[in-house]
């Protein structure tokens, strides 16, 4: 089930920051090629993880996401498992769980930025998701995966100084204005988004697609009429436009 795709707690074994064996899944060790002329580091495909790899690359090259993630210390991530250190135990006395997804994202990002390798392995990261081999050979919808990965990162960051990271980097708001053509009243509705469905076909570039999205006036007529509360909940023709919300006073 897609909604169960990320489970940081699925594997109960002790977390090791420096595992002796990268993973039981890496059977054949191939010589690692250095970076090519692009000087960029790719990610190995575990079977059908190309969609995940593309997503990881976009996160890596988003400084507003990457740098706050790197700012989290070993203590923030509950990696200092000293039983005498009260800061690493919860108020109930139990040891705090390692924030595995964030730890593995930090390590993978560091490898991709610093190692002279053509590609890195994402196996430890997908292990931190609780993925088994079947999840790495099943192709998922990248849009759905993105949403679930953000949820998992958000959950893993709870209680840290970066608990608002996903929201601050990736969330915005739009305001829908719908004007009834009968009574002329304008209705306003605010919607939060983490992604925008853009029409790119026949558009020369992304800026034009975005501009079109926020200037397009949708006609609500026929089977798509608007139920207007000011007109006794009757169905009326209406115009609808979408605006980006710039601040909380919009
Ligand atoms: Zn009306």
């Amino acid at each position: 089930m897609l909604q169960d795709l990320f489970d940081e707690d699925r594997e109960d074994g002790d977390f090791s920051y420096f595992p002796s064996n990268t993973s039981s899944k890496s059977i054949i060790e191939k010589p690692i090629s250095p970076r090519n002329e692009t000087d960029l580091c790719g990610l190995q495909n575990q079977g059908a993880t190309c969609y995940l790899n593309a997503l990881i690359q976009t996160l890596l090259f988003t400084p507003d996401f990457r740098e706050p993630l790197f700012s989290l210390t070993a203590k923030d991530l509950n990696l200092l498992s000293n039983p005498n250190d009260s800061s690493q135990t919860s108020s109930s006395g139990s040891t705090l769980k390692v924030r595995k997804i964030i730890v593995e994202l930090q390590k993978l990002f560091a490898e991709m930025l610093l190692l002279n390798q053509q590609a890195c392995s994402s196996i430890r990261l997908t292990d931190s998701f609780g993925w088994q081999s079947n999840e790495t050979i099943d192709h998922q919808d990248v849009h759905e995966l993105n949403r679930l990965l953000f949820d998992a990162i958000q959950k893993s960051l709870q209680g840290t100084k970066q608990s608002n990271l996903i929201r601050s980097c990736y969330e915005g708001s739009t305001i829908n204005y719908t004007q009834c053509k009968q009574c002329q009243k304008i209705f306003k509705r605010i919607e939060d988004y983490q992604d925008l469905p853009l029409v790119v076909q026949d558009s020369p570039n992304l800026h034009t697609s975005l501009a079109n999205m926020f200037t397009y006036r949708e006609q609500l007529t026929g089977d798509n009429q608007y139920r207007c509360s000011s007109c006794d909940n009757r169905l009326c023709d209406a115009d609808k436009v979408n605006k980006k919300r710039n601040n909380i006073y919009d």
Side-chain angles (χ1 to χ4, degrees):
M1 297 291 285
L2 209 54
Q3 61 264 38
D4 300 326
L5 205 54
F6 295 93
D7 185 357
E8 202 172 34
D9 303 325
R10 190 183 293 180
E11 288 183 328
D12 295 329
D14 289 339
F15 177 81
S16 170
Y17 191 78
F18 297 108
S20 54
N21 184 1
T22 303
S23 170
S24 56
K25 293 168 200 157
S26 58
I27 300 163
I28 304 167
E29 282 195 22
K30 296 177 186 168
I32 299 168
S33 305
R35 295 181 184 221
N36 62 20
E37 63 276 8
T38 64
D39 200 28
L40 294 170
C41 180
L43 286 161
Q44 292 162 2
N45 194 338
Q46 294 185 46
T49 55
C50 48
Y51 67 100
L52 173 69
N53 292 351
L55 184 57
I56 292 169
Q57 292 279 6
T58 64
L59 296 179
L60 172 66
F61 286 102
T62 306
D64 287 347
F65 174 80
R66 183 188 66 216
E67 297 307 319
L69 203 77
F70 276 140
S71 76
L72 291 165
T73 64
K75 186 177 174 185
D76 293 330
L77 300 173
N78 302 330
L79 281 168
L80 307 176
S81 56
N82 180 352
N84 298 320
D85 182 355
S86 59
S87 64
Q88 293 298 301
T89 55
S90 68
S91 53
S92 63
S94 58
T95 305
L96 293 172
K97 283 183 181 164
V98 173
R99 301 177 192 276
K100 286 187 276 187
I101 292 177
I102 308 303
V103 171
E104 295 302 345
L105 267 176
Q106 276 189 349
K107 285 160 69 177
L108 184 56
F109 282 179
E111 287 176 6
M112 293 167 74
L113 291 170
L114 300 173
L115 295 184
N116 182 20
Q117 291 183 188
Q118 200 170 53
C120 288
S121 167
S122 60
I123 288 176
R124 288 197 313 268
L125 179 64
T126 52
D127 282 352
S128 77
F129 297 160
W131 284 13
Q132 312 293 328
S133 56
N134 58 317
E135 275 122 350
T136 59
I137 56 172
D138 288 343
H139 200 289
Q140 311 288 350
D141 173 67
V142 70
H143 176 251
E144 180 74 352
L145 178 98
N146 188 15
R147 199 178 58 77
L148 294 171
L149 177 60
F150 279 178
D151 285 348
I153 291 172
Q154 186 81 38
K155 192 176 162 197
S156 196
L157 286 171
Q158 268 175 15
T160 71
K161 60 192 173 195
Q162 299 299 346
S163 58
N164 205 34
L165 182 61
I166 294 292
R167 180 176 282 265
S168 64
C169 276
Y170 294 103
E171 271 198 13
S173 300
T174 57
I175 312 177
N176 293 329
Y177 294 96
T178 306
Q179 183 169 30
C180 173
K181 287 188 174 176
Q182 291 291 320
C183 65
Q184 303 302 316
K185 187 167 178 184
I186 296 173
F187 298 89
K188 188 170 104 171
R189 197 178 67 187
I190 294 169
E191 288 181 355
D192 294 333
Y193 66 87
Q194 282 188 348
D195 45 68
L196 295 167
L198 285 181
V199 177
V200 293
Q201 193 172 14
D202 301 325
S203 179
N205 54 49
L206 212 50
H207 289 107
T208 308
S209 294
L210 276 165
N212 289 343
M213 180 177 187
F214 291 112
T215 53
Y216 176 65
R217 183 174 287 269
E218 186 181 0
Q219 308 282 330
L220 304 181
T221 57
D223 292 341
N224 198 24
Q225 276 187 313
Y226 181 69
R227 192 172 292 282
C228 178
S229 57
S230 281
C231 296
D232 296 327
N233 280 327
R234 276 184 285 114
L235 289 170
C236 305
D237 286 351
D239 281 346
K240 184 178 171 188
V241 288
N242 230 351
K243 299 265 184 226
K244 186 175 181 303
R245 191 183 186 210
N246 294 314
N247 59 59
I248 58 170
Y249 304 108
D250 279 351

